[in-house]
Amino acid sequence: MVSRRSFLKTLTIGAAGISISGAKKTDDQVMTVMGPIRTSSMGFTLIHEHIVVDFIGAEKTHQERWSDEQVTQKILPQLQRAKANGCETFVDCTPNFLGRDVALLKELSRKTGLHIVTNTGYYGGSDHKFLPPVVFHESADQLARRWVDEAVNGIDKTGIKPGFIKISVND
């Protein structure tokens, strides 16, 4: 496995010249599931939240394990209450292989008017239970290219781009 320092150096080099939002760094923007917004319009922001989290493990989690309709029914009133109480932006920190569902996030953003930010990257806590097998045989360059591709082209062919990289790993 690649050292953390080597991986982050490669990721930084791979992303040179673009911000994770795909906007020029001087544009003062953040990427939401609906597209880029000016950071000045973010307002009150919940900075580390989760809509769906599936703790079954990377090899078994899949969007077919939950119903978007049931999730929406349960979470929509909570998001509407947050919006009514002054929240403008919601940062969903659920990474891929742990329940990230960017289409659901976009629908919730549309229904609530909240700016919702999603991510690219991986969560490696709990003895690597939430890491896909590719992590253990791809190079740092290959992993960085995966994340840059999501930032530039969108996640899972949805066109929805991440606003940040989530990297949480054990030794």
Side-chain angles (χ1 to χ4, degrees), residues 6-163:
S6 172
F7 176 77
L8 292 174
K9 180 179 176 186
T10 301
L11 184 62
T12 302
I13 292 168
I18 65 164
S19 69
I20 194 67
S21 70
K24 292 180 183 177
K25 292 177 184 176
T26 58
D27 286 349
D28 197 24
Q29 295 181 335
V30 65
M31 182 59 70
T32 74
V33 296
M34 301 294 280
I37 62 167
R38 300 208 49 77
T39 55
S40 59
S41 67
M42 289 178 71
F44 181 81
T45 301
L46 295 173
I47 63 167
H48 190 133
E49 307 301 323
H50 299 274
I51 296 292
V52 174
V53 179
D54 186 357
F55 289 111
I56 196 166
E59 294 188 27
K60 295 181 183 175
T61 192
H62 193 273
Q63 291 172 351
E64 294 171 359
R65 288 184 35 82
W66 58 87
S67 160
D68 284 359
E69 183 178 319
Q70 288 178 335
V71 171
T72 299
Q73 193 173 36
K74 185 164 187 128
I75 195 68
L76 186 60
Q78 306 305 319
L79 294 175
Q80 289 169 328
R81 188 173 343 185
K83 178 76 170 165
N85 283 299
C87 181
E88 294 294 327
T89 304
F90 182 100
V91 179
D92 188 279
C93 294
T94 309
N96 198 11
F97 301 101
L98 200 67
R100 179 183 70 179
D101 186 336
V102 298
L104 175 61
L105 295 177
K106 185 172 184 175
E107 183 62 14
L108 290 168
S109 178
R110 187 188 66 73
K111 287 182 175 183
T112 62
L114 282 170
H115 302 297
I116 298 179
V117 180
T118 191
N119 67 87
T120 189
Y122 297 131
Y123 173 72
S126 299
D127 297 321
H128 309 299
K129 180 178 179 180
F130 307 110
L131 293 173
V134 299
V135 166
F136 302 102
H137 63 76
E138 284 191 348
S139 69
D141 286 338
Q142 289 169 312
L143 291 171
R145 278 194 294 274
R146 282 179 182 277
W147 298 346
V148 169
D149 182 65
E150 284 192 341
V152 172
N153 299 309
I155 297 167
D156 298 330
K157 300 180 183 176
T158 63
I160 298 168
K161 297 177 181 179

